[in-house]
Amino acid sequence: MPQENPLRRVVLTVVGSVLVLAGVALLVLPGPGLLLVLAGLITLAETFPALERYIEPVRRRALKAAEDSVATPPRIAGSVLAGLALIGAGIVWGVVPQVPLAGWSTCASLILSGLALLGLLYYSHRRVRAASKGRAR
């Protein structure tokens, strides 16, 4: 087995840890928390193979949460409004300097969270529709 590059190991550990920590924060804040935790676990599992056993349970919960968000039209509407609100808040935080924690870093994170939410919503909706068509046959 070839020797692993120590720099790659450090970078994967830092990136994975940041993703997991951001995901945990987004579990209580608006944003795709479980998806970031999943991405962080996948990244960390490259360096720490023992973490691979946590990937599948987190993936299932993330997909279940995504499917629940498109279970009914009111949930879809609420999720779309939340995504648009995050994008709107990001714009406000980037343009209005009087807002607490104003700046482009806050702006970018809010906009990216909103876009991720809308992308996840679209993916979930397509996935649920495809599954329901498969059951109808």
Side-chain angles (χ1 to χ4, degrees):
M1 185 171 179
Q3 182 68 22
E4 186 176 339
N5 182 351
L7 180 59
R8 180 179 187 274
R9 187 174 170 90
V10 169
V11 168
L12 286 175
T13 301
V14 169
V15 169
S17 299
V18 168
L19 287 171
V20 168
L21 291 173
V24 168
L26 289 178
L27 290 174
V28 293
L29 299 171
L34 278 176
L35 290 177
L36 284 180
V37 170
L38 178 61
L41 282 174
I42 291 170
T43 304
L44 286 170
E46 290 282 321
T47 304
F48 305 102
L51 294 176
E52 287 181 11
R53 66 184 175 148
Y54 298 107
I55 292 173
E56 187 57 29
V58 172
R59 186 187 71 76
R60 274 192 305 245
R61 291 188 94 189
L63 291 177
K64 175 75 171 110
E67 289 172 4
D68 289 348
S69 70
V70 295
T72 64
R75 283 188 178 182
I76 294 171
S79 296
V80 168
L81 288 175
L84 294 175
L86 283 168
I87 293 169
I91 292 169
V92 168
W93 258 262
V95 175
V96 180
Q98 294 82 9
V99 177
L101 301 173
W104 288 106
S105 61
T106 306
C107 164
S109 65
L110 286 170
I111 290 173
L112 287 174
S113 291
L115 291 174
L117 177 61
L118 293 175
L120 176 62
L121 182 65
Y122 176 74
Y123 169 78
S124 301
H125 184 45
R126 286 189 53 151
R127 180 181 160 109
V128 168
R129 276 190 28 211
S132 66
K133 284 182 183 179
R135 284 191 296 256
R137 291 182 182 176

